[in-house]
Structure formats: C-alpha cells, structure tokens
Amino acid sequence: MSRDDELKLLGTKTCPFAIRVRIALNQKGLSYEFLVEDVKNKSELLLKSNPVHKKIPVFIHNGRSICESLVILQYIDENWSGTSVPSLLPTDPYERAMARFWAVFIDDKLFSSWMGVLKATAEDAKAEKIAETIAGLKLLEGALKDCSDGKCFYGGDSIGYLDVVLGSHLIWLRTVEKMSGAKLFDETVVPLLLEWEKHFIAVDCVNSVMPSVEMVQELVKTHLLAK
Amino acid sequence: MSRDDELKLLGTKTCPFAIRVRIALNQKGLSYEFLVEDVKNKSELLLKSNPVHKKIPVFIHNGRSICESLVILQYIDENWSGTSVPSLLPTDPYERAMARFWAVFIDDKLFSSWMGVLKATAEDAKAEKIAETIAGLKLLEGALKDCSDGKCFYGGDSIGYLDVVLGSHLIWLRTVEKMSGAKLFDETVVPLLLEWEKHFIAVDCVNSVMPSVEMVQELVKTHLLAK
C-alpha cells in the first residue's frame, strides 16, 4: 500500500456484505476509513458512488468506487497481491473456480434461505426455509471437506475467499437460530463446519469486526421486521 | 492446451449462458465436445456434474466439472492464459472489477428485465419490463464508453469478458424486440451499443455459434411460454 492510498468503506456494522470486506482489509493489513451508513437515509456519497444499485458496501480507493462485495474482495486480493499475507483466492484455477462457485451459492441460495426464515409469517413457509438453510449448510460442509485438505479453513491454513464469504453470514445464521428456535448447526450433520466456526471467530481480523447476536437481533426487530 | 486435455461443454444452442462459454472457447482456440442437453429430460452426466443446481452450462475439463457460466469464463481465462490470444479479463485490477460488476448487472438485472418482457401477461407489467430493459441498456452504453477507451469492444481492440457476457444476451434481446414490438436499441439512446453489436456479431468465433432470432423465437414459443 502506498503511503498516499486513501481507502474508504461505506457500510454498516451488521451488514454481512460489509463485514466480509472489513475482514479482508484487516487480513491484508490495510488501514481504511469506515463510514457507517444509515440505510434509511443514505448519504450523498453512497448515492454518488453506487448510482446503479445505491447499496452498501462501497469501497473507495483513491476516489474510485468499487461496488458489490464479491467484486470488492477480488479487487482487494488482486490489488494487494504479492504482499506478506496470503492471497484470499487460491492460486490453482480449478480451486479458484470452486471458491467462486460456492461464494455465489452462499450469496444467492444460503442468503435467501436464512432471510426467508426471518421473513416467513406462516409456520409451514418458515419450516421450509429452515430445511433449505440446513440443506445449504450440509452442502457447505461437503465443500469444506473438499477445499480445506484437512486444514482449518476453506483457504487451508489461513482464511481465504470462501472463509470470508461464508463467515460474514455466520452471525446472521446464529441470530436466525436464536430467533426461530431452529437448530441449524447440528454436530452430527455439520461437524466440520462447527470446528471451522471455532477457528474462524478466533482469528483477530475477524473477531475485531464481528457484531454480537444481540446487535443483529436488535436490527432485525427494529428494521427488517418493522412495518 | 495439452494434447491430452479433454474438454466437454453441456449446454443448448440457444442458452445465453452456454453461448458465452462457446465464444470464449472459440476465442481461445480450444477444441471441445459440445453435448447438447434436452432441458426437459436432463442427462445423467448433467445431473452428476452439477448436483447443486442441475443446470446448464457445465464445463468438464479432464473429468472435473465447473458450473456457473461466469465462473467457467474466468476458469477458461485463467487456465489458458499467456497464450497468443488476449485475456478475456483486463489486467488492471480496477478494470477487472468494473468488468465483473457489469457482468453481474447483466446476468441479474438485464436478464430478469428482458425475461420479464417475455413472461409478462398484463400490458402494464410488460411496459414496465420494457422500460427496465431500455434503462439497463442505457447504463451499458455508458459502461461501454468508460471501458472501451474509444475502441470497438468493452475489451478494447478484441472481445473480452464483458463483450462475451453481454453478447450472449444479444440474440435474446433482438428476439424480445421482435416478439414484443418494442424498440430496445434506439440509435439516439444507445448509438455506441449499436456500433458494438455490428462489430461483435462479425467476429468469427461469435457468428459461428450464434443462433438465429427465429430459432430463439421457436424455443420461446414451444418451451418458455408453453403451459
């Protein structure tokens, strides 16, 4: 990082898509200004920086905006490569493809499943979304087995792209468990994921930005479910 | 490409997500076996190769499957890099981020807009989706101005990632125009895109795989709109 690099991140403390960018920036050892947005009253800077979607997170590097969290993660990885910290994405093209495949799965399928649990009003719809979430986690248990090569993380010995992508949903999944009463992480079904979680939340660059279940729960009650 | 490399692509001739992979393979000068799927009666190979989504396209390289077309494109680009053909993605990290951002926009927003025109039953819903499609194309006109640096393609002098991604929707957009009667490409609104289209469809590796409007129209009538 050049001495003149100016890095800004527009997000909120509980947004999973902003959390992952903060973890990646921390892991790369990059200093940045974190500008907390009020999503009910978006800043001029946000509207100007992401005119297409008007959504957080937005990463601004020397005045140039990058939007969409998976795009931002890859930008950070490619722009600050060859440093002393490991890359987020694996180097092997096939392993990179697997990481990208599962990242899209997490943000499309897993996200809509657990969000569906929170938003469901009928019991049968809720049960369906809980089952979908559990099935998604089971697939990610298999992916962890395939990607980690017996090590702690999807990225191997240190956290990588998939760890950051799934890890940013973790506190929300735990909040969904608490609010719905459903057991999403059963140790007979996802034993590796439970081990992974322990290691993941113990990493410094993760736990320094991870909100509490109570904080997320409060947000769900006051914003997401408020009419 | 090693003499022993075995490349297979599972897709259909009209699927935009398969068309883009074929263009990329052609552009890289790679030989592959194209296995045409019947999406109403999926092959065992497809179900086995993409157990998560059970969808085309699937690219199989020496027996290993890669799913999701944007993931496949990046795999092809990274696996067959440093050859005599240009890369699909730009080399500059910011330009790569822009290409990835717009690719996701095309597959999420633009795709759902034009598909919405085809599927709309009420006139006001159809008009709304037509307006959305036109607005999306207008944004992509701006992106072309930003990315192409005054050259023919998003990728500059030769077709790149964004050309392939948007280009694979092109024949569908022209089919939507024909079937809906709406003018999507107005020369006063998207003059650069119209120029880009002329250059794009003239490229050998593109026109050899591009279906006709009539072929796509037939598919829409017999499959997409059939009850």
Side-chain angles (χ1 to χ4, degrees), chain A residues 44-134:
Chain A
E44 280 304 310
L45 183 60
L46 173 58
L47 301 176
K48 196 184 76 177
S49 310
N50 188 357
V52 175
H53 302 298
K54 303 177 179 64
K55 280 184 181 171
I56 56 165
V58 178
F59 180 59
I60 308 179
H61 180 198
N62 293 339
R64 296 201 296 187
S65 310
I66 299 115
C67 306
E68 300 275 343
S69 69
L70 296 183
V71 175
I72 298 170
L73 289 182
Q74 291 177 86
Y75 175 78
I76 291 170
D77 202 32
E78 292 173 353
N79 208 60
W80 289 279
S81 64
T83 57
S84 55
V85 294
S87 289
L88 286 173
L89 275 159
T91 48
D92 174 74
Y94 181 75
E95 290 174 17
R96 290 165 74 87
M98 290 303 100
R100 288 189 178 118
F101 172 82
W102 287 112
V104 172
F105 173 83
I106 290 163
D107 280 10
D108 283 357
K109 302 290 176 187
L110 187 72
F111 176 57
S112 76
S113 301
W114 67 249
M115 187 57 91
V117 180
L118 290 178
K119 290 196 167 176
T121 46
E123 278 307 310
D124 55 346
K126 187 174 150 187
E128 191 189 317
K129 290 294 168 185
I130 289 170
E132 247 183 51
T133 308
I134 292 170

Side-chain angles (χ1 to χ4, degrees), chain B residues 124-212:
Chain B
D124 55 345
K126 187 175 151 188
E128 190 189 317
K129 290 293 167 186
I130 289 170
E132 246 184 50
T133 307
I134 292 170
L137 290 172
K138 204 173 159 186
L139 288 171
L140 290 161
E141 170 89 0
L144 179 56
K145 202 171 175 185
D146 293 341
C147 296
S148 65
D149 199 21
K151 293 169 181 164
C152 289
F153 300 111
Y154 285 92
D157 286 322
S158 60
I159 59 169
Y161 188 66
L162 259 187
D163 297 287
V164 175
V165 172
L166 179 59
S168 63
H169 287 269
L170 201 50
I171 199 71
W172 281 84
L173 286 159
R174 289 304 193 183
T175 305
V176 170
E177 271 194 320
K178 190 175 176 197
M179 295 181 79
S180 69
K183 193 172 176 67
L184 301 178
F185 293 87
D186 187 313
E187 64 187 4
T188 62
V189 182
V190 289
L192 297 176
L193 268 188
L194 283 165
E195 271 301 301
W196 166 82
E197 180 187 29
K198 275 188 214 160
H199 292 294
F200 182 74
I201 58 174
V203 175
D204 280 348
C205 66
V206 172
N207 65 32
S208 60
V209 299
M210 203 58 92
S212 63

Side-chain angles (χ1 to χ4, degrees), chain A residues 32-51:
Chain A
Y32 63 98
E33 188 181 357
F34 184 46
L35 301 169
V36 178
E37 282 288 325
D38 174 358
V39 290
K40 300 276 178 191
N41 184 23
K42 296 174 182 176
S43 72
E44 280 304 310
L45 183 60
L46 173 58
L47 301 176
K48 196 184 76 177
S49 310
N50 188 357

Side-chain angles (χ1 to χ4, degrees), chain A residues 155-175:
Chain A
D157 286 322
S158 60
I159 59 169
Y161 187 66
L162 259 187
D163 298 287
V164 175
V165 173
L166 179 58
S168 63
H169 287 269
L170 202 50
I171 199 71
W172 280 84
L173 287 159
R174 289 305 193 182
T175 305

